[in-house]
Amino acid sequence: MPYVKQKTFVVTGASSGIGRALAIRLAESGASVVLNARRQGLLEETEDACVEHGVRANSVPGDIADPDVARRLVDRALDCGDFSGFFHVAGVFSPGPYLWELDEAGFDAIMDSSVKGAWSMTRAAVPQLIKRRGGLACFFGSGAAEIVQPGIGAYCAAKAAEEHLCRQLAAEAPRVAAFVYRPHVVETRMQEQAREAQGGAAEELHKLFRSWKEEGRLITPEQAAQGVLDLIGEDPGKLTGKTFRWGEGQVGGEE
């Protein structure tokens, strides 16, 4: 991967799933990584897996919605050298309840991980990237941003807000290649949660998410991670302000 080699990137949501797979793939490609997630033990396992590829890897456990956590991630990335951007993969799903069944803590967790987390990373990283004449800001979106699906209403709203935040950033900071990557339906903990969801809309989610697994429609976290690196190629600048779907290219317009 010519662009990422010998650069440093922050990856949120790196303790499992796509975030872990992406961190390891970046390390395999010669990039140093600074990793974040709330589950410290699993996060340290990802860090160890990255170090095995001969690059620098650091981790900062905590809630990415906390601006201090985001600031520490960027500080670590600056210490590693050639800080070149971030991948905001972190997300909370909480599938099953109707909107009125979801409690305040559950709603806040969904919004914090996708929306406030995206903002806190933007606030910490973008000024530094502008000083360094650019970089990339990749926000992991979802087709959920465009649909109405009982049982994941707050998640749909959060992804719509996160994707719009990315478009705002692309307009406000043209030196930073800000783009949305939708990684398709991936066999992760979120999928497992939906297949075993509880709440008013649980039965509907069971039918939908279980059918995807039964029909073999799910891709692996490694496939999803490779997809975004293939997309970046040698020049992320061509991605600015756009939304891309795994395996299908740009969403909503000509590439």
Side-chain angles (χ1 to χ4, degrees), residues 3-129:
Y3 178 77
V4 303
K5 188 175 183 180
Q6 297 182 334
K7 294 181 171 65
T8 300
F9 298 93
V10 170
V11 182
T12 71
S15 61
S16 64
I18 304 171
R20 173 182 167 83
L22 177 58
I24 294 171
R25 189 69 189 93
L26 284 166
E28 291 172 343
S29 302
S32 295
V33 290
V34 181
L35 312 173
N36 165 258
R38 292 174 299 169
R39 295 178 291 173
Q40 184 171 355
L42 292 175
L43 185 64
E44 290 173 353
E45 291 179 11
T46 303
E47 180 182 346
D48 291 342
C50 292
V51 170
E52 290 178 3
H53 296 286
V55 300
R56 297 184 67 179
N58 290 276
S59 59
V60 178
D63 186 346
I64 191 55
D66 181 347
D68 184 60
V69 171
R71 180 188 56 76
R72 286 189 282 134
L73 284 165
V74 172
D75 286 347
R76 294 276 182 89
L78 292 171
D79 289 343
C80 284
D82 203 2
F83 173 48
S84 297
F86 65 87
F87 297 84
H88 181 49
V89 191
V92 172
F93 203 29
S94 299
Y98 290 125
L99 283 172
W100 61 88
E101 295 176 334
L102 188 64
D103 63 21
E104 183 178 2
F107 182 83
D108 286 347
I110 293 168
M111 290 294 171
D112 281 355
S113 61
S114 290
V115 186
K116 191 173 180 182
W119 167 78
S120 69
M121 273 307 309
T122 296
R123 187 168 186 262
V126 168
Q128 297 296 333
L129 294 175

Side-chain angles (χ1 to χ4, degrees), residues 138-143 146 163 166-167 177-184 227-228 231-232 235-255:
C138 175
F139 299 84
F140 274 60
S142 172
E146 298 183 13
E163 291 193 4
C166 174
R167 292 189 290 271
F179 67 98
V180 171
Y181 173 63
R182 297 179 179 178
H184 193 58
V228 72
L231 193 62
I232 292 167
D235 176 22
K238 63 183 184 293
L239 311 177
T240 302
K242 300 175 183 177
T243 298
F244 297 87
R245 184 185 293 120
W246 180 89
E248 298 181 15
Q250 185 178 338
V251 176
E254 296 294 329
E255 285 194 78

Side-chain angles (χ1 to χ4, degrees), residues 144-155:
E146 298 183 13
I147 66 170
V148 172
Q149 175 60 59
I152 57 169
Y155 181 78

